Amino acid sequence: LEKILLIIKGVFESIKDAKLDRVHFAKYGAFSLDYEIVYFVMGNEYIKYMDIQQEINLRIYEIFAQEGIEFAYPTQTVILNK
């Protein structure tokens, strides 16, 4: 869990025009471990914000895959009886 904090902080070191404010392991979800990431994008253009958000998300996903960190996906089991 602590490694995830470091990974996320590291992502922001290479993202131009994005300033990380904080990242915290915030809570235990029903089937997840939830982190809160707060950052600021320098400028006021929505498309720039979306491009930076996408870059951050893709980088996190890429690094997690390299590190063997898996994301929790919602699952559902249906049992059918005759």
Side-chain angles (χ1 to χ4, degrees):
L1 297 177
E2 291 175 358
K3 188 173 190 177
I4 290 172
L5 297 170
L6 296 174
I7 289 170
I8 293 171
K9 288 177 182 179
V11 164
F12 282 86
E13 293 174 2
S14 63
I15 307 269
K16 183 182 177 202
D17 292 333
K19 181 179 183 282
L20 180 65
D21 182 56
R22 63 187 179 275
V23 56
H24 291 100
F25 172 42
K27 64 183 176 178
Y28 292 94
F31 299 97
S32 63
L33 304 173
D34 299 344
Y35 286 80
E36 180 179 78
I37 305 168
V38 177
Y39 61 92
F40 299 98
V41 173
M42 305 309 144
N44 59 1
E45 301 168 27
Y46 184 70
I47 191 74
K48 179 179 181 179
Y49 164 75
M50 290 302 297
D51 288 344
I52 288 173
Q53 177 178 320
Q54 176 175 264
E55 183 178 358
I56 291 165
N57 288 338
L58 290 173
R59 295 282 316 278
I60 290 170
Y61 188 86
E62 178 183 280
I63 295 169
F64 277 25
Q66 290 170 357
E67 296 291 329
I69 299 170
E70 297 180 4
F71 286 90
Y73 293 99
T75 59
Q76 184 176 21
T77 303
V78 177
I79 300 171
L80 300 173
N81 292 319
K82 288 184 176 185

